[in-house]
């Protein structure tokens, strides 16, 4: 396999890591240290590597020991820091996924394999994750025999149940057995979110190196790594080796190196009085000799077996407590905080046979079984002696953390300043803060600190083990949540029509709303002026579908509304609309909108676009927690109705063709009426001061009605024009002209606060001294002295003479075609009409005059528009229904395979039912059902046929698609058949009507987003 390193062509073998291939090619120096620039070589064979850090493609820093070699790989050495190459191509498709199991086993070594086998024999759902490409753990690196045969034969013969994820590193262990793991795949990583009833940690142990002079030279390597390269990869670029055996594993490494053809010229064992006291190097700093005591031995490899540190990182992340084992000279798990069991080397059992026995016991315990009947293979290993308690060989220049260039003298300086906490020393020296997170240095720091402080390592303690266990790229964390899929987007039924007309969109919450409709490349200012002119002089139309719409039913609906609104609704006549203001418990304005009484016990409330969900939640909270005795229910119908606002003095001409039955509507009245032959609703409501109608039709007909209105001569306008029109009338927008500290009285709307009602939410707060004081900020109008000056929104208002306190700020500022000048609204205190102020923003200081906040038609003379004329009262529209997913039919068909298919289910009538169980449908919550299909509706059922689209995913790989975005456990024994959940961060109802068939009920406004998400997920399989 051909690859390049720092531009030099090289060769490796299939199965090599980049580190193994570099050693195979004789590369000894793989980089320079981060601060001192010292030459560094490969030190380990796993994710704990502190030296061999490389840039590969778009990945700025990876450990060469974890990079699997592939043909054409290009790698670049680093000086301990990653470097982003902005020009590097990145065609990865990172992803996420959700898994659930009875037993999660982390680690595929002898203990983990035994645990998975024991747990799986009970029928438990088992997931086994391991960071290596192959299972076996340390058995991959050894020549150990089990039952007289190579140990990997035992691994191959195991009957492993459940899901096995290789190349998968568990990086975080959180509350309630929630484990996050990263799986490396050729096309991009997958971030797994795993929920387990029980967890078995079989994460093994990391070999360590004591600190001794010259311990950072290329050629100094952990003994386990040298053994791995010799046994697993067949790489032995060394000729003469010295083994520093503080633990018996050093002798095993020596035997394996000899078997690989390396001459082991000396074994230094501190337990026998022999200690490595230093190293020598050639002109490039590469190892050429080892000092054992005062004796110099020629060698090009120093294999260090300093003892073992159980990999307790995940255990500690789970809030488990550690204890220091004096015999093992290591920290081991003590008390678990969760349903967890450690097994094998990660709890200090280093023998293979011990690990297998402990793994069987752990797996059986996790599955509620016993380990009897599980055979333990014969093993040819020798009993292990306790390691030497050696952390430091005298020498201040000995390195403790190879990645951060931290030496013993740095630790001595830290403790010499009075630092006693290992956390303080870590931050002072940066030891353990590198990419390996102290895997090779953490225990050594503790051991040396204990020597410097005259305390036991157990008294010094460890630093906090934090996720991630290994570095995780931002691309992996993002997964497929990029570009169009970065966040769920809501679109209206008319969205494609807006796109075709060149609309510019703005984000309002998750909605894409038309901001303005430029023609022939005109700038925004000209487009808005043209749109305003049409609304004031002729007829214009706006897509108002994003307004929140809540269907409210029940005998006590009017009484409930009286309690949440500041004005009365129980007295509202059937067929009438009323503008209402809603306050929080603190008396501040929370939301506003119109509510219409459709029948004695039936209302329709509208809310601001951004507050629709919050208002629905607010209503439910008060009903469920304070007034559960009231007979009232709430159903969101925002997505069911598409809304077109027809605005302007000639609006009647359009309504006469669109819905002639609505021509006689009086102001603030509504009618259930056909719109182009389709049952709809027409409201005569105005947010512009002009004659205006809000036409509502079911979602599927929204685009047709919109295009029909434009064909009748209406000019489309967007949210910017809407803002100008309402501001000219002095209508405040909640969230723009309010900021959570504004009462209705501050807005000059005392008239909307009922004095007849005994109570409503926020009433008591209106009587507080602070809300009743005269010096509060109030809504006022502003006129700049220069009619062409557009004052910045947010500009601070100060007295005209300057030097005084801030009196308020500008909330809205626009250019008005109707006024022929600029104007604004502001919240200001202690001002009166005629006062002169200065609006300050950045370097600008603009003089303004305070005026009344109503700038246009203060007498409301234009609200009734022009009389109907006889011209153009015919309309041919080619009326049609269109589902939100109609445009995806061909793409769904093209993406289908034998394993997975995606389609839109044909239209089905749907109703939401509150109260008594209807005996049919999907139960969504307490006293809440969704009924669909050809079922005659009953009284009280709310028509939501346009509210949702049904997408069907089928085939044996359907679940593989869903688990990449759905956090539910979809196993047949767990999934109840349907549930409300999230899919791709979008709220859906998920139903499984048959094996390998899933129906996804998604709100119409999210359908386009979710269709794109599902197509992308299918393509990523």
């Amino acid at each position: 396999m051909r690859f390049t390193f720092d531009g030099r062509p090289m060769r490796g073998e299939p199965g090599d890591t980049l580190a193994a291939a570099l050693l195979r090619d004789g590369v000894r120096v793989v980089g320079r240290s981060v601060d001192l620039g010292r030459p560094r070589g490969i030190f380990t064979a796993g994710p704990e590597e502190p030296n061999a850090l490389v840039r590969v493609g778009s990945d700025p820093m990876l450990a060469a020991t974890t990079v699997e070699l592939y043909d054409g790989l290009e790698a670049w050495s680093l000086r301990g820091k990653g470097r982003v190459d902005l020009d590097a191509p990145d065609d990865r498709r990172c992803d996420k996924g959700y898994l659930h199991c009875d037993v999660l086993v982390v680690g595929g070594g002898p203990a983990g394999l035994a645990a998975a086998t024991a747990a799986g024999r009970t029928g438990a759902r088992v997931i086994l994750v391991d960071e290596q490409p192959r299972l076996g753990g340390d058995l991959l690196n050894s020549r150990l025999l089990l039952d007289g045969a190579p140990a990997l034969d035992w691994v191959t013969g195991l009957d492993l149940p459940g899901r096995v994820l290789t190349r998968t590193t568990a990086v975080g262990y959180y509350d309630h057995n929630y484990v996050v793991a990263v799986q490396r795949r050729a096309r991009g990583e997958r971030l797994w979110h795993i929920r387990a009833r029980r967890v078995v940690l079989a994460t093994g142990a990391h070999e360590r190196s004591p600190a001794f002079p010259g311990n950072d030279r290329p050629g100094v390597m952990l003994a386990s790594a040298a053994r791995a390269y010799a046994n697993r990869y067949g790489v032995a670029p060394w000729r003469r080796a010295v083994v520093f055996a503080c633990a018996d594993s050093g002798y095993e490494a020596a035997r394996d190196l000899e078997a690989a053809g390396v001459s082991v010229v000396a074994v230094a064992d501190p337990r026998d009085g022999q200690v490595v006291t230093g190293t020598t190097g050639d002109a490039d700093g590469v190892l050429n000799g080892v000092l054992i005591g005062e004796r110099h031995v020629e060698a090009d490899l120093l294999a260090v077996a300093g003892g073992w540190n159980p990999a307790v990182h995940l255990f500690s992340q789970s809030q488990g407590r550690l204890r220091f084992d004096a015999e093992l000279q290591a920290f081991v798990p003590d008390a678990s905080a969760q349903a967890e069991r450690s097994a094998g080397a990660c709890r200090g059992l280093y023998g293979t046979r011990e690990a297998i026995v402990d793994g069987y016991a752990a797996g059986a315990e996790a599955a509620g079984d016993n380990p009897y009947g599980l055979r333990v293979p014969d093993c040819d290993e020798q009993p292990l002696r306790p390691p030497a308690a050696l952390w430091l060989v005298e020498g201040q220049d000995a390195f403790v953390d190879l990645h951060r260039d931290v030496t013993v003298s740095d630790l001595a300086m830290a403790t010499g300043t009075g630092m006693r906490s290992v956390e303080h020393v870590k931050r002072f020296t940066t030891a353990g803060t590198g990419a390996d997170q102290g895997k090779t240095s953490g225990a050594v720091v503790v051991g040396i600190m204990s020597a410097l402080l005259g305390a036991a390592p157990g008294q010094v303690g460890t630093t906090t083990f934090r996720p991630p266990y290994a570095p995780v790229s931002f691309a992996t964390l993002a997964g497929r949540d990029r570009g169009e899929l970065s966040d769920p987007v809501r679109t209206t039924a008319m969205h494609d029509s807006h796109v075709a007309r060149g609309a510019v969109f703005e984000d309002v919450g998750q909605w894409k709303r038309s901001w303005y409709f430029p023609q022939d490349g005109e700038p925004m200012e000209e487009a808005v002026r043209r749109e305003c002119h049409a609304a004031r002089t002729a007829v214009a139309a706006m897509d108002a579908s994003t307004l929140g719409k809540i269907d409210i039913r029940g005998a006590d609906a009017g009484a409930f509304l009286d309690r949440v609104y500041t004005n009365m609704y129980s007295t509202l006549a059937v067929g009438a609309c009323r503008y209402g203001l809603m306050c929080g418990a603190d008396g501040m304005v929370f939301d506003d909108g119109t509510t219409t009484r459709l029948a004695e016990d039936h209302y329709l409330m509208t809310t601001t676009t951004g507050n629709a969900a919050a208002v629905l939640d607010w209503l439910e909270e008060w009903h469920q927690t304070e007034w559960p005795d009231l007979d009232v229910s709430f159903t969101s119908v925002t997505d069911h109705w598409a809304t077109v606002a027809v605005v302007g003095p000639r609006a009647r001409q359009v309504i006469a063709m669109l819905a002639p039955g609505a021509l006689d509507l009086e102001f603030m009245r509504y009618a259930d009426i056909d719109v182009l032959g389709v049952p709809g609703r027409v409201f005569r409501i105005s947010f512009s001061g002009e004659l205006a109608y809000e036409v509502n039709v079911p979602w599927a007909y929204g685009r047709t009605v919109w295009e029909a209105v434009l064909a009748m001569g209406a000019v489309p306008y967007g949210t910017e024009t809407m803002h100008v029109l309402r501001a000219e009338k002095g209508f405040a927008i909640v969230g723009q002209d309010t900021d959570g500290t504004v009462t209705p009285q501050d807005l000059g709307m005392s008239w909307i606060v009922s004095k007849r009602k005994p109570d409503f939410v926020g009433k008591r707060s209106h009587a507080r001294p602070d809300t009743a004081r005269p010096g509060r900020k109030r809504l006022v109008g502003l006129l700049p002295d220069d009619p062409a000056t557009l004052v910045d929104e947010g500009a601070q208002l100060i007295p005209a003479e300057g030097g005084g306190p801030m009196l308020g700020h500008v909330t809205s500022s626009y250019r008005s075609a109707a006024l022929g000048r600029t104007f604004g609204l502001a919240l200001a205190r202690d001002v009166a009409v005629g006062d002169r102020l200065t609006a300050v923003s950045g370097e600008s200081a603009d003089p303004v005059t305070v005026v009344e906040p109503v700038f246009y038609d203060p007498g409301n003379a234009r609200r009734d528009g022009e009389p109907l004329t006889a011209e153009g009262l015919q309309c041919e529209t080619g009326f049609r229904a269109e589902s939100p997913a109609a445009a995806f039919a061909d793409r769904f068909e093209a993406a289908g395979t034998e394993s997975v298919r995606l389609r839109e289910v044909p239209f089905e009538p749907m109703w939401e039912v509150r109260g008594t169980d209807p005996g049919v449908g999907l139960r969504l919550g307490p006293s809440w059902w969704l009924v669909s299909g050809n079922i005659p509706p009953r009284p009280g059922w709310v028509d939501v046929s346009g509210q949702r689209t049904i997408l069907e995913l089928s085939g044996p790989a359907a679940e593989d698609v869903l688990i990449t975005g759905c956090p539910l456990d979809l196993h047949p024994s767990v999934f109840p058949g349907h549930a409300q959940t999230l899919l791709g961060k979008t709220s859906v109802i998920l139903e499984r009507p048959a094996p390998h068939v899933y129906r996804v009920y998604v709100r119409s406004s999210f359908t386009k987003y979710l269709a794109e998400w599902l197509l992308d997920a299918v393509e990523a399989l």
Side-chain angles (χ1 to χ4, degrees), residues 585-659:
D586 59 359
M588 306 303 161
V589 173
F590 171 49
D591 197 68
D592 69 340
T594 58
T595 295
T596 304
R597 193 166 196 170
L598 308 181
E600 283 295 328
D601 59 353
H602 188 189
Y603 292 78
L604 179 70
M605 175 190 291
T606 64
T607 74
T608 56
T609 295
N611 253 357
V615 169
L616 181 60
D617 181 68
W618 182 249
L619 301 180
E620 288 283 9
E621 179 180 350
W622 282 97
H623 179 225
Q624 294 179 27
T625 64
E626 302 298 327
W627 310 312
D629 55 309
L630 294 184
D631 176 16
V632 62
S633 63
F634 316 97
T635 303
S636 171
V637 290
T638 300
D639 285 78
H640 175 71
W641 295 105
T643 303
V644 179
V646 182
V647 178
R650 295 179 58 79
R652 278 194 183 87
Q653 299 296 117
V654 172
I655 294 300
M657 295 181 279
L658 194 69

Side-chain angles (χ1 to χ4, degrees), residues 177-468:
N177 276 352
Y178 169 42
V179 177
V180 176
V182 175
Q183 182 181 25
R184 301 182 302 281
R185 305 181 301 169
R187 59 184 180 272
E189 294 81 13
R190 172 169 283 178
L191 188 73
W192 288 108
H193 301 262
I194 307 173
R195 293 280 187 183
R197 294 182 187 276
R198 307 279 302 185
V199 172
V200 175
L201 294 178
T203 50
H206 298 133
E207 197 168 30
R208 63 176 178 254
S209 169
F212 56 88
N215 64 336
D216 72 321
R217 291 188 188 279
V220 178
M221 180 183 291
L222 293 178
S224 59
R227 178 169 163 259
Y229 290 119
N231 292 334
R232 180 175 180 180
Y233 301 105
V235 175
W238 319 280
R239 293 176 296 105
R240 293 169 58 84
V242 171
V243 177
F244 190 5
C246 303
D248 287 356
S249 56
Y251 292 92
E252 187 176 12
R255 290 192 295 270
D256 288 355
L257 287 172
E258 286 277 8
V262 179
S263 176
V264 178
V265 296
V267 176
D269 189 335
R271 294 168 295 184
D272 298 330
Q274 294 183 310
V275 177
V276 172
T277 56
T279 63
T280 60
D282 61 17
D284 295 325
V286 177
L287 181 80
N288 63 12
V290 178
L291 292 172
I292 303 176
E294 296 182 356
R295 178 167 63 102
H296 182 268
V297 180
E298 289 188 7
D300 56 5
L301 171 66
L302 174 55
V304 184
W308 294 89
N309 301 320
V312 295
H313 303 67
L314 294 176
F315 175 82
S316 186
Q317 288 177 23
S318 74
Q319 305 304 306
R321 293 199 306 271
L322 303 175
R323 64 177 176 85
F324 186 76
D325 188 305
E327 181 176 351
L328 297 175
Q329 287 293 294
F331 287 94
V332 296
D334 186 11
S336 297
Q338 303 195 45
E340 174 276 339
R341 164 76 146 79
S342 296
C346 71
R347 77 183 194 106
L349 301 176
Y350 299 138
T352 301
R353 190 179 191 283
E354 279 186 296
I356 293 174
V357 171
D358 197 41
Y360 281 151
E365 178 185 322
D369 195 18
N370 64 69
Y372 303 129
L374 292 166
R375 182 179 175 278
V376 181
D378 292 330
C379 185
D380 64 346
E381 60 189 0
Q382 300 297 317
L384 299 176
R385 296 178 294 165
L390 180 67
W391 305 99
L392 169 66
V393 177
E394 291 301 323
Q396 293 292 302
D397 61 341
F399 283 86
V400 177
D401 189 319
L402 296 177
H403 187 193
R404 289 300 195 191
D405 275 342
V406 179
T407 64
V408 173
S409 62
D410 295 324
L411 297 184
M413 182 186 300
T415 56
T417 63
M419 294 185 187
R420 297 294 182 268
S421 166
V422 66
E423 296 283 9
H424 292 162
V425 171
K426 172 181 177 178
R427 284 152 181 79
F428 181 83
T429 63
T430 72
T433 63
D436 70 330
Q437 291 205 16
K439 294 181 179 68
T440 58
S441 62
V444 180
V445 169
V446 172
I448 295 174
M449 279 187 63
S450 68
L452 293 172
L453 297 174
Q459 293 174 305
V460 174
T462 66
T463 57
T464 302
F465 294 91
R466 295 184 176 90

Side-chain angles (χ1 to χ4, degrees), residues 50-186:
N51 291 339
L53 303 173
V54 296
R55 175 169 59 85
V56 178
S58 59
D59 281 306
M61 188 170 72
L62 298 172
T65 51
T66 64
V67 176
E68 294 181 49
L69 193 68
Y70 57 86
D71 201 50
L73 180 145
E74 295 182 355
W76 302 87
S77 62
L78 298 171
R79 181 170 167 166
K81 292 181 181 178
R83 187 174 66 235
V84 176
D85 182 358
L86 298 177
D87 297 324
D90 187 1
D91 56 356
R92 292 176 297 182
R93 291 180 63 91
C94 295
D95 205 350
K96 300 178 184 177
Y98 299 86
L99 294 175
H100 303 77
C101 60
D102 297 315
V103 180
L104 170 65
V105 180
V106 181
L113 293 170
T117 301
R121 73 172 183 168
T122 68
R125 298 164 59 197
V126 179
I127 296 176
L128 172 64
V129 303
D130 185 72
E131 63 188 6
Q132 296 293 325
R134 296 173 59 195
L135 297 175
D138 189 59
L139 299 179
L140 296 168
N141 307 324
S142 76
R143 297 186 303 126
L144 186 72
L145 299 179
L146 295 178
D147 287 338
L152 292 182
D153 289 354
W154 174 77
V155 175
T156 304
L158 292 174
D159 183 17
L160 293 175
R163 186 187 293 259
V164 176
L165 299 175
T166 55
R167 296 183 174 88
T168 304
T169 303
V171 296
Y173 190 165
Y174 305 92
D175 291 346
H176 308 295
N177 276 352
Y178 169 42
V179 177
V180 176
V182 175
Q183 182 181 25
R184 301 182 302 281
R185 305 181 301 169

